[in-house]
Amino acid sequence: REAGLPPGPPTIPLLGNLHMFPTEFVHYKFTEWARKYGGIYSLKMGPGTAVVLTDMAAVKELMDKRSGSTVDRPPMHVADLVAGGLNMVFASFLRHVQRSIARVPGACALQFVFYHNGFYTHIRRYSNSVILSVLYGKRAPRYETPETTAFFNAQHEWELVVKRGATPPVDLIPILKYVPPRWAKWKRDCAKTRKLQRDLYFGLLDETKERLRRGEENGSYMEEVLTREEEFGMDREMTGYLGGVLIEGGSDTTSTFLQSLILAMVAYPEAQRKAQEEMDRVVGEHRMPTLEDLEEMPYIRAMVLETHRFRPVAPLLIPHSTLNAEEVGVSYCVTKTYPLSRLSFKYKGFIIPQGATIFVNAWGIFHDPELYDDPESFIPDRYLLTENGMKPGVDGRNLRPTLPFGVGRRICPGIHLAQNSININAMNLVWAFNFTTELDGEGNPVKLDTFDYQKRAPRPFKCKVTPRSTEKAELIEREFLEAADTFSKVEFGISPEDKAFVAESRVRRTDG
Ligand code: HEM
């Protein structure tokens, strides 16, 4: 480790800390190291450097205030192979694409009707459907809807190619880029993923274009991007990937949050009971909640914040990297191509080299026992006691409540859509259903493991989902049937199987 870098675990020659880099649940290890080496520590990744921030003040200063310099992403050759450098999540800052995204509209959940089992996949379908409706004006009525299946297939392949160890360390040893595909399975896997993604993204784009040509707009986001492509300085490739990246960003994130919320409500029935009490007081039995009710619901708001803290969807956000060389008090206006490698960030006496990868350890902050009482438990009440949920007396002014959505200029562009979707669903779920543990063969409740996660999401778990009353079940169905007109606007071009499913779902099933 070069002199001046933040401290960190001992290194070995050539590899640095690479040999000890965890293959999964990286945030646990990063947090363990944070407790040992401090809120700012470094890891040597071969010749490169990574800096891990588990300190609120450092996150605010380096990632929010000096976002212009920490806005970049570390190189990811696999993402370039799959999306030709146009997956903006992993690409350097694409300003014009970002500008067009800044307008992703807020939308709320239209439908959340499930009666018995299958809630886990239902939630995944729901969040994919919301994003497909917003972007392309085409909803996904079933988990088996062709676009939804195609998306989850492509996503599965994508996750395999980016999995640690699936590819040689091509970002560290760039010469590996030139290995011909016949000797590199990982390259063939990338090509397969690329095809799956392109078939879906450009298929949806072409359908939207065709609809526009026929004058059958339905107000979707991509219609607007297509009409204003020139103004945004975008071409077909960029537009196609813009849509694709938004489907990726918007699908499994919202659903993961909702799955964690349900898991927490089952594991902590007392929190569920308090949320239901508040719901019954504010909304009652005879109507469904609306977003306007949230103002009157401090406990539900606290429960949403606590879910973000307890199980953040992105425990390490998405890694950033430093773009400009800069020293405290002196900003050098440099671009990536201009070599100023001797200049680096200096923060609290530590050097953060140009091009370093920066991880924001949101998990480590949210689970710090110095900041939160009993951080491993789900306790929404903590947000009623203090504004930021921290122990009384802890100065939490440096922590933005939106940290789970990222930092600086890279903050999640879907934040408003996501927050609306999360809030209305949290409210609907609490209003409508009881979530309880399943019983085992002997009638004892099956204990849930709230740490049993797979990548970001809880592993599929069993719980009983029962409507809280017959009246509520009937009301849900009535509202669903009344929303038929709204749904039909986003049912252009759905498959015959989806059409049949939709027709069947519009037949009243309850007696009300
Ligand atoms: C619970 C819901 C969500 C959470 C917690 C979440 C969280 C995040 C986080 C942590 C980042 C990385 C920010 C950073 O690098 O500092 C991010 C980026 C991103 N998110 Fe979200 N997100 C959610 C929903 C959505 C939705 C609904 C969309 C699409 C409409 C979306 C689209 C994106 C995109 C495109 C990026 C990449 C931005 C960039 O690299 O500049 N996300 N999100």
Side-chain angles (χ1 to χ4, degrees), residues 170-389:
V170 60
D171 297 317
L172 297 173
I173 312 172
I175 195 157
L176 291 171
K177 285 181 196 170
Y178 304 103
V179 180
R182 65 176 180 283
W183 292 326
K185 180 174 176 307
W186 59 275
K187 279 197 167 178
R188 300 195 299 275
D189 292 342
C190 286
K192 178 178 169 195
T193 309
R194 178 175 168 80
K195 177 161 177 2
L196 290 174
Q197 287 188 347
R198 290 184 69 88
D199 286 352
L200 176 65
Y201 302 162
F202 288 88
L204 282 165
L205 186 70
D206 289 342
E207 258 183 59
T208 312
K209 240 182 191 165
E210 183 52 27
R211 242 193 10 246
L212 267 177
R213 201 188 54 75
R214 291 198 307 263
E216 291 173 358
E217 294 94 332
N218 62 1
S220 74
Y221 175 72
M222 293 308 286
E223 280 171 5
E224 187 169 343
V225 176
L226 278 168
T227 343
R228 298 172 61 185
E229 248 180 346
E230 218 175 276
E231 179 190 334
F232 292 139
M234 294 174 62
D235 58 21
R236 178 178 153 77
E237 284 292 296
M238 287 169 135
T239 308
Y241 277 107
L242 168 63
V245 161
L246 287 170
I247 311 180
E248 288 171 33
S251 288
D252 267 348
T253 42
T254 315
S255 59
T256 296
F257 178 94
L258 293 170
Q259 286 158 349
S260 290
L261 171 68
I262 294 178
L263 180 68
M265 286 202 292
V266 180
Y268 293 84
E270 184 59 14
Q272 182 180 172
R273 190 189 58 74
K274 287 185 181 176
Q276 285 176 341
E277 260 173 32
E278 183 178 77
M279 188 57 74
D280 294 348
R281 193 162 17 87
V282 177
V283 176
E285 183 86 350
H286 307 299
R287 66 174 179 91
M288 286 183 72
T290 66
L291 278 176
E292 285 70 47
D293 294 316
L294 198 59
E295 186 72 24
E296 308 289 318
M297 298 189 169
Y299 198 85
I300 300 283
R301 294 200 304 272
M303 197 158 81
V304 167
L305 287 170
E306 178 66 347
T307 307
H308 278 304
R309 186 204 66 80
F310 183 61
R311 294 292 176 263
V313 169
L316 298 172
L317 310 187
I318 298 176
H320 284 230
S321 89
T322 47
L323 178 68
N324 290 349
E326 187 183 73
E327 279 201 55
V328 172
V330 191
S331 264
Y332 295 93
C333 192
V334 293
T335 64
K336 220 178 173 186
T337 47
Y338 189 73
L340 266 178
S341 51
R342 278 179 300 112
L343 294 174
S344 309
F345 264 114
K346 255 194 179 162
Y347 180 72
K348 292 202 166 163
F350 296 131
I351 290 176
I352 299 175
Q354 185 181 9
T357 298
I358 305 187
F359 291 96
V360 174
N361 185 5
W363 177 276
I365 295 175
F366 287 144
H367 289 257
D368 186 345
E370 299 284 316
L371 304 179
Y372 297 92
D373 272 325
D374 193 5
E376 299 311 331
S377 297
F378 182 79
I379 311 175
D381 306 62
R382 67 175 88 240
Y383 285 93
L384 302 177
L385 294 176
T386 60
E387 200 186 337
N388 46 39

Side-chain angles (χ1 to χ4, degrees), residues 73 88-89 98 131 249-250 253 320 404-407 410 412-413 422:
R73 297 281 188 219
M88 58 166 267
V89 176
Q98 289 274 358
I131 197 76
T253 42
H320 284 230
F405 289 96
V407 284
R410 286 278 185 172
C412 174
I422 282 171

Side-chain angles (χ1 to χ4, degrees), residues 23-37:
T23 48
E24 53 179 353
F25 301 118
V26 181
H27 52 288
Y28 293 158
K29 195 74 197 168
F30 275 17
T31 300
E32 192 186 312
W33 282 331
R35 305 292 179 247
K36 194 162 176 189
Y37 300 104

